[in-house]
Amino acid sequence: MKKTMCGIAAILCCLAAGAQNQTRQDRLTDHVYYFASDTLNGRKAGSADAARVADYIAGQYEAAGLVPFFEEGWFDPFEVSYPRPDVGYKNAVGVIKGSDPKLQDEYIVLGAHYDHLGV
């Protein structure tokens, strides 16, 4: 099975299924304003605000027709020894499966780097 790994910044704007009345630029602007909003307090890694963004990304993936990469769902939880080993971190990972009969065993994996330093 072939896998193509793609890191994303704002690829969500290209995937939005429920935003037919918006241009790609409008969708991108909406996503950027959400990620940069003061209510998310800088999306500090491992924080509840970063978890809200992860849920947002998973919801956008689902709305666009992606499927979770993991059997357990959208998230890959992990721990780090620095700076805070006591905090839970997670990556949001979705898959676009091949739809052509010749490509049905190939897929694209999308991961999102969404956390930051906080305020």
Side-chain angles (χ1 to χ4, degrees):
M1 222 179 256
K2 282 184 160 181
K3 299 177 189 176
T4 303
M5 298 297 289
C6 297
I8 68 165
I11 200 164
L12 295 175
C13 71
C14 299
L15 298 175
Q20 283 106 9
N21 295 340
Q22 289 185 305
T23 66
R24 181 179 291 180
Q25 182 175 344
D26 290 339
R27 291 190 307 269
L28 177 58
T29 299
D30 288 349
H31 293 308
V32 169
Y33 274 88
Y34 175 72
F35 293 134
S37 70
D38 289 343
T39 61
L40 294 174
N41 300 303
R43 305 176 319 276
K44 185 173 184 172
S47 70
D49 297 315
R52 285 179 31 212
V53 174
D55 291 338
Y56 173 85
I57 291 168
Q60 295 296 310
Y61 282 174
E62 188 169 19
L66 277 70
V67 295
F69 181 76
F70 305 102
E71 288 182 21
E72 300 82 25
W74 297 103
F75 304 114
D76 177 29
F78 65 96
E79 295 178 6
V80 296
S81 58
Y82 176 85
R84 304 246 344 252
D86 59 322
V87 173
Y89 300 89
K90 62 183 176 181
N91 289 319
V93 186
V95 174
I96 301 172
K97 293 184 176 183
S99 57
D100 182 280
K102 291 182 182 178
L103 303 176
Q104 65 186 2
D105 292 330
E106 297 184 20
Y107 49 92
I108 299 170
V109 177
L110 298 173
H113 179 116
Y114 55 87
D115 56 11
H116 199 52
L117 302 174
V119 292

